[in-house]
Amino acid sequence: MTKPGHVVIARARRVSLRGCVGVTFLLAFLILTRQLTRFSDSQSIDKSKHPTMWKGIFPAGLLSLGLVSSASATLLYVASYAGTVTTLRLTLPDDDCVDGTAATLAAISNSTGCGPNPSWLTLDYSKNFLFCLDEGLNDPYGGVTSFFTNNDGTLTTLNKLEVIQGPVSIAEFGVGGHGLAIAHYSGSSVSAVGFTPEGNLTLVQNETYTLTAPGPDAERQEAPHPHEAILDPTASYVLVPDLGADEVRIYQADAKTLGLTPIAPLTVRPGSGPRHGTFLVTPKKTYFYLISELTNAITGYETVYNKNKTLSFNELFYIPTHGENKTLPKGTGAAEIVVSPDGNFLIASSRWENSFNITNFDPNNSTDIASDPLITFSIDHATGKLTKVQEFAAGGSGPRHFSVNAEGNLVAVALQADSRVVIIKRDVKTGKLEDYVAYADIEGELTAAIFREDYSTAYKSKVQH
């Protein structure tokens, strides 16, 4: 029997070698037969000019077929304050196989090219670029680095640009996606950076802000703290939740020049500390969901696009991140908020409350792990309102960032306090998180974990959403 608030981690999922091997060799036999038939029909081939034809068919060909059909793999990139961007390979057993092998999450590459404090990762599939922000926690400046993403998982540094301290989030925008809007937390700034097809970076614009007086939470709101840059669904505006100023700064985004023109901001509740936000487009309405770190709340808005090229927001609700009034430990801080790829669910993360105890991932360690939650809500497309579906242990403490893959059936969680990445299986239809698939320990405080998938799959999901 498990204790209240205790989650038992299911042991490694097994895959049947017998079933997998049978399917593998049947497929190999069919392909080999087809290759031999083609060869026998090609009587005019000069064997002296094709000395390696048989070598290409077998035995090496059979071996490669077996490896490909036994499992599927995808890559993830993980940022850490230890100064690294780590590439992980997630290998999942074939769904048709049971009782044999387990999912694995293994580090295959490591880069220190971003700087000492990587804080955010943005992937441009169409250009094979990865952009990384260096927060510059102990330096007078931060940085932006562009990488080329090689197919083997390694990263090639293309260019690095020094910027104002504290960059923590990127929104890519502009014609063909050639600009980066960046929120600078400690630098109290918002900037725009352009990049060339070769990945070279150039500062286009920078806006730095001040407060006339501290906010209600004087310790956390002593200055403006832009926390995220978000591109709206029309790609015409950039929104920046400012934790220190209690507002969401809004800019008209020039797709050609990359200029950011400030317009009237969205003012939120005093002392709430807006952190991150996300949009949902339905056939009739566009919704904006904002998570506030200091009051641990989610606010839902209907977004109105005005004829004078401004935005208005009609507040629909203001609810606790848990969906209900709940006494939370002092210091609890809401973090990430994401709408699922199908647009039917919203997931939020909460840090530093340790409301779950879960079985240790290491089978040789009997000490339980304290875990913060991921909270899932269903979304009513007609009203935009949220209904709580589930609270699920994130796999450890401090889920600062998480991402959902394009199919919507996996969630990657970056646990800042536990230096761990956890992959969680998700039911696309119900929205519920179901089980832990794999995990990996990575040095340092983790700040971001993102999937790298097939471009066509990721792009299709983005367009549908």
Side-chain angles (χ1 to χ4, degrees), residues 50-361:
H50 301 274
T52 60
M53 177 165 287
W54 286 101
K55 182 179 178 181
I57 296 178
F58 92 122
L62 290 177
L63 178 61
S64 64
L65 288 172
L67 291 174
V68 169
S69 64
S70 63
S72 60
T74 190
L75 299 181
L76 294 95
Y77 301 113
V78 180
S80 168
Y81 275 157
T84 59
V85 177
T86 302
T87 306
L88 300 173
R89 176 179 284 117
L90 173 65
T91 304
L92 298 173
D94 217 347
D95 286 340
D96 295 331
C97 306
V98 291
D99 297 333
T101 61
T104 60
L105 186 62
I108 59 173
S109 177
N110 192 279
S111 173
T112 57
C114 183
N117 308 119
S119 60
W120 185 267
L121 298 172
T122 289
L123 183 63
D124 185 321
Y125 281 95
S126 64
K127 305 175 187 68
N128 292 318
F129 286 170
L130 179 71
F131 298 101
C132 178
L133 296 180
D134 170 26
E135 196 167 350
L137 296 176
N138 300 308
D139 298 312
Y141 298 98
V144 187
T145 299
S146 58
F147 294 100
F148 185 80
T149 57
N150 300 297
N151 290 332
D152 63 359
T154 59
L155 299 173
T156 300
T157 303
L158 299 176
N159 195 221
K160 186 166 185 176
L161 176 69
E162 196 173 76
V163 294
I164 285 179
Q165 187 188 43
V168 291
S169 174
I170 290 173
E172 187 176 355
F173 72 109
V175 176
H178 70 293
L180 309 173
I182 301 174
H184 302 253
Y185 182 86
S186 58
S188 301
S189 302
V190 176
S191 62
V193 170
F195 63 91
T196 67
E198 296 75 32
N200 295 321
L201 304 161
T202 306
L203 181 64
V204 175
Q205 180 182 345
N206 187 83
E207 300 289 338
T208 300
Y209 300 93
T210 60
L211 292 179
T212 56
D217 188 331
E219 184 178 351
R220 295 293 308 279
Q221 297 183 307
E222 84 294 350
H225 290 305
H227 215 304
E228 187 181 31
I230 310 159
L231 187 66
D232 88 301
T234 70
S236 302
Y237 302 88
V238 170
L239 284 73
V240 180
D242 189 325
L243 183 146
D246 282 327
E247 63 183 23
V248 178
R249 302 185 186 277
I250 305 175
Y251 303 86
Q252 294 173 346
D254 191 309
K256 294 182 179 179
T257 68
L258 303 181
L260 298 176
T261 303
I263 57 177
L266 167 61
T267 301
V268 302
R269 285 170 171 75
S272 60
R275 178 183 172 94
H276 284 191
T278 185
F279 281 95
L280 170 64
V281 178
T282 69
K284 294 184 178 181
K285 298 178 180 180
T286 296
Y287 300 112
F288 178 61
Y289 297 100
L290 181 69
I291 192 165
S292 295
E293 179 176 344
L294 302 184
T295 55
N296 294 291
I298 299 173
T299 311
Y301 301 93
E302 180 184 350
T303 307
V304 179
Y305 290 86
N306 301 315
K307 292 182 179 179
N308 63 352
K309 296 184 178 181
T310 62
L311 297 182
S312 298
F313 296 88
N314 299 325
E315 183 175 316
L316 304 173
F317 61 83
Y318 177 83
I319 61 172
T321 50
H322 287 264
E324 56 191 344
N325 291 324
K326 186 174 182 179
T327 301
L328 300 174
K330 185 178 180 180
T332 297
E336 189 59 274
I337 185 168
V338 171
V339 170
S340 61
D342 60 10
N344 292 328
F345 299 92
L346 181 144
I347 310 171
S349 67
S350 179
R351 300 169 298 164
W352 324 128
E353 60 176 270
N354 294 329
S355 53
F356 286 89
N357 285 314
I358 61 177
T359 305
N360 203 298
F361 287 94

Side-chain angles (χ1 to χ4, degrees), residues 1-8 359 368:
M1 181 179 294
T2 60
K3 297 176 288 186
H6 188 279
V7 176
V8 176
T359 305
D368 287 347

